């Protein structure tokens, strides 16, 4: 594995860093307080090619590799994980799933506007009684001949209100259990779709999250992705890719917190010297840096495996589990280093800590990743 980034990868990393440090930082605290969707930033990132950066250029994507995506996700997440999660869901769940498994007609109609950033996609898997246990789908897609009739409720849906295109996972043949599940492309404006209230979240508040209710929603048969019953496999394969994005987001949160802790420790004085000169603080910083580097390398390995068309599911689970746990640990330590200032919004680290917590929960909790990893070890 080559640990040197290409010139193109470094350019993409720098472009993401520049946008985050120059533009996202301006209103990130205000948007967090107001739970305000970052519409202008998403539009700008789409124009810069970040919303579909791994999609083939023939579908208006950026044609970039997964390592470039990881680097960009880290830089954006250092400043604003709400923006990076919108990008992650659109790129590594929705666009990835459509490009990998969709028909040419589906790619032309749905993937192209998503990859170019003209539209946003959402991934509808979780339900009130089917979070970690994704096999227990209660939302139904009844086969009516030339269309499916969808009824049910989805929970915790990122970009539910702002998205134009939904990828819906629903049960068509309950007697077949997980082998009876289908993946459907649904227009958000279809009759019968309604949204629950905006979730008042602890972190990533600038990302709009809602429940989505389906009441006799008609979805054309040509909007099914893959063969009948492919939906559960589709969801698991999409999540394998998505976990690389969330892992890199977690690395970005931790890295951003470390950068702020270093800056603060070189400015804040206590007992006659800056606190960076106190071993208790210096050793914290060293431990944080080592853990972040380990997490980053796990992300890059998973990305490298994916780019080289090798099995990467276990690597992405390892990266997601470790990076998420480290993000929570490192951001908490950054608050501690800041002392009382770490507890106020002006210094950003309290927000990074709140946002880090979600990386341990969504797209498969840390416990679910351990199940995936242990099953592979013991099979």
């Amino acid at each position: 594995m080559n640990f040197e980034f290409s010139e193109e990868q470094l350019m993409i990393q720098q472009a993401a860093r520049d946008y985050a440090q120059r533009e996202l930082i301006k209103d990130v605290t205000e948007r967090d307080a107001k739970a305000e969707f970052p519409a202008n930033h998403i539009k700008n990132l789409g124009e810069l090619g970040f919303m579909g950066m791994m999609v083939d250029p023939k579908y208006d994507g950026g044609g970039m590799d997964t390592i470039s995506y990881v680097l960009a996700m880290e830089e954006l997440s250092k400043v604003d994980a709400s923006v990076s999660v919108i990008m992650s869901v659109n790129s590594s769940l929705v666009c990835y799933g459509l490009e990998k498994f969709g028909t040419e007609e589906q790619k032309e109609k749905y993937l192209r506007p998503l990859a170019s950033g003209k539209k946003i996609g959402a991934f509808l898997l979780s339900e009130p009684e089917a979070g970690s246990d994704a096999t227990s789908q209660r939302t139904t897609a009844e086969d009516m001949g030339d269309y499916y009739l969808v009824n049910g409720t989805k929970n915790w849906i990122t970009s539910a209100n702002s998205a134009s295109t939904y990828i819906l996972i629903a049960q068509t043949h309950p007697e077949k259990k997980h082998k009876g599940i289908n993946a459907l492309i649904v227009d958000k404006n279809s009759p019968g779709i309604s949204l629950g209230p905006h979730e008042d979240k602890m972190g990533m508040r600038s990302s709009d999250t809602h429940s989505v209710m389906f009441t006799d929603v008609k979805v054309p048969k040509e909007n099914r992705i893959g063969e009948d019953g492919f939906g559960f496999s589709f969801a698991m394969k999409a999540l394998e890719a998505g976990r690389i994005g969330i892992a890199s987001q977690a690395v970005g949160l931790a890295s951003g917190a470390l950068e702020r802790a270093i800056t603060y420790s070189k400015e804040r004085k206590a007992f006659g010297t800056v606190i960076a000169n106190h071993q208790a603080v210096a050793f914290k910083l060293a431990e944080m840096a080592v853990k972040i580097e380990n997490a980053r390398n796990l992300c890059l390995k998973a990305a490298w495996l994916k780019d080289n068309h090798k099995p990467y599911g276990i690597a992405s689970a390892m990266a997601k589990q470790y990076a998420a746990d480290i993000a929570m640990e490192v951001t908490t330590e950054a608050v501690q280093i800041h002392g009382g200032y770490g507890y106020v919004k002006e210094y950003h680290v309290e927000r990074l800590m709140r946002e880090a917590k979600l990386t341990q929960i969504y797209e498969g909790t840390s416990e679910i990743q351990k199940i995936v990893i242990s099953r592979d070890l013991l099979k």
Side-chain angles (χ1 to χ4, degrees):
M1 184 174 175
N2 185 356
F3 283 87
E4 289 187 352
F5 298 127
S6 68
E7 184 176 343
E8 181 182 17
Q9 289 166 343
L10 291 172
M11 287 174 61
I12 292 164
Q13 181 187 46
Q14 187 63 51
R17 180 183 298 146
D18 288 346
Y19 189 82
Q21 300 294 336
R22 187 180 65 248
E23 302 297 336
L24 289 182
I25 195 66
K26 290 178 181 177
D27 60 350
V28 62
T29 302
E30 182 181 0
R31 283 187 288 102
D32 173 69
K34 295 181 178 179
E36 182 180 302
F37 187 79
N40 288 338
H41 292 303
I42 297 304
K43 177 177 179 292
N44 293 339
L45 288 172
E47 291 172 353
L48 290 169
F50 284 105
M51 293 303 288
M53 57 189 300
M54 294 178 288
V55 176
D56 193 307
K58 72 180 181 180
Y59 300 116
D60 294 341
M64 304 170 200
D65 61 9
T66 313
I67 288 177
S68 298
Y69 171 68
V70 164
L71 296 175
M73 279 290 297
E74 179 178 345
E75 293 300 329
L76 295 172
S77 302
K78 286 179 182 179
V79 176
D80 190 351
S82 291
V83 166
S84 68
V85 74
I86 297 164
M87 171 178 148
S88 179
V89 169
N90 194 75
S91 294
S92 59
L93 288 178
V94 179
C95 286
Y96 170 80
L98 284 171
E99 184 174 25
K100 183 76 173 176
F101 302 106
T103 64
E104 277 303 312
E105 291 76 16
Q106 290 170 350
K107 292 175 188 179
E108 285 294 329
K109 184 175 180 180
Y110 297 105
L111 177 59
R112 191 177 295 281
L114 292 167
S116 64
K118 293 177 182 176
K119 292 186 177 180
I120 300 173
F123 192 78
L124 283 65
L125 175 61
S126 293
E127 297 184 2
E129 296 182 40
S132 293
D133 182 8
T135 62
S136 300
Q137 296 291 305
R138 301 292 179 87
T139 297
T140 58
E142 186 180 357
D143 190 339
M144 305 297 288
D146 59 348
Y147 67 92
Y148 291 100
L149 193 65
V150 178
N151 286 279
T153 300
K154 293 294 182 177
N155 265 21
W156 317 116
I157 305 306
T158 299
S159 303
N161 185 51
S162 303
S164 300
T165 303
Y166 290 163
I167 302 294
L168 171 71
I169 310 301
Q171 180 63 264
T172 300
H173 309 286
E175 71 282 2
K176 295 182 180 179
K177 299 182 179 179
H178 72 281
K179 294 183 178 179
I181 294 171
N182 279 311
L184 307 175
I185 306 167
V186 183
D187 186 330
K188 181 230 179 181
N189 295 319
S190 299
I193 294 179
S194 59
L195 302 185
H198 184 285
E199 300 290 357
D200 190 9
K201 307 192 299 292
M202 179 173 78
M204 300 197 199
R205 293 171 50 78
S206 191
S207 160
D208 73 281
T209 306
H210 300 257
S211 294
V212 182
M213 285 73 77
F214 296 84
T215 304
D216 292 337
V217 178
K218 293 183 178 181
V219 181
K221 211 57 165 298
E222 61 264 27
N223 281 26
R224 187 184 70 206
I225 301 174
E227 297 299 317
D228 189 25
F230 179 62
F232 181 75
S233 293
F234 169 85
M236 294 304 101
K237 291 177 187 297
L239 286 172
E240 283 184 354
R243 284 165 184 159
I244 297 176
I246 301 307
S248 55
Q249 180 186 62
V251 171
L253 285 162
S255 185
L258 175 59
E259 289 178 5
R260 292 186 177 279
I262 290 171
T263 298
Y264 181 80
S265 70
K266 289 159 70 174
E267 296 171 349
R268 171 69 167 170
K269 289 185 177 181
F271 304 103
T273 186
V274 295
I275 62 173
N277 289 334
H278 295 297
Q279 193 177 76
V281 173
F283 277 18
K284 278 185 187 292
L285 296 172
E287 290 168 359
M288 292 156 74
V290 171
K291 290 170 181 175
I292 291 169
E293 188 67 11
N294 285 336
R296 182 181 292 115
N297 285 335
L298 283 170
C299 289
L300 290 171
K301 180 182 178 181
W304 182 87
L305 289 170
K306 181 172 177 286
D307 285 338
N308 285 275
H309 310 291
K310 299 176 183 294
Y312 64 91
I314 300 304
S316 69
M318 288 181 173
K320 202 270 187 186
Q321 181 263 308
Y322 185 78
D325 290 350
I326 289 310
M328 195 67 233
E329 183 178 336
V330 168
T331 54
T332 302
E333 289 285 42
V335 171
Q336 189 70 19
I337 288 170
H338 279 72
Y341 291 104
Y343 208 64
V344 297
K345 296 182 184 300
E346 179 184 352
Y347 285 77
H348 295 283
V349 287
E350 63 83 29
R351 176 176 52 79
L352 297 177
M353 183 178 73
R354 287 188 282 110
E355 292 180 338
K357 185 60 197 172
L358 190 53
T359 66
Q360 293 180 306
I361 297 172
Y362 63 5
E363 292 196 28
T365 64
S366 292
E367 291 75 19
I368 288 295
Q369 306 314 313
K370 291 174 184 177
I371 290 174
V372 172
I373 296 162
S374 62
R375 282 178 177 171
D376 184 73
L377 291 172
L378 298 171
K379 69 181 179 182

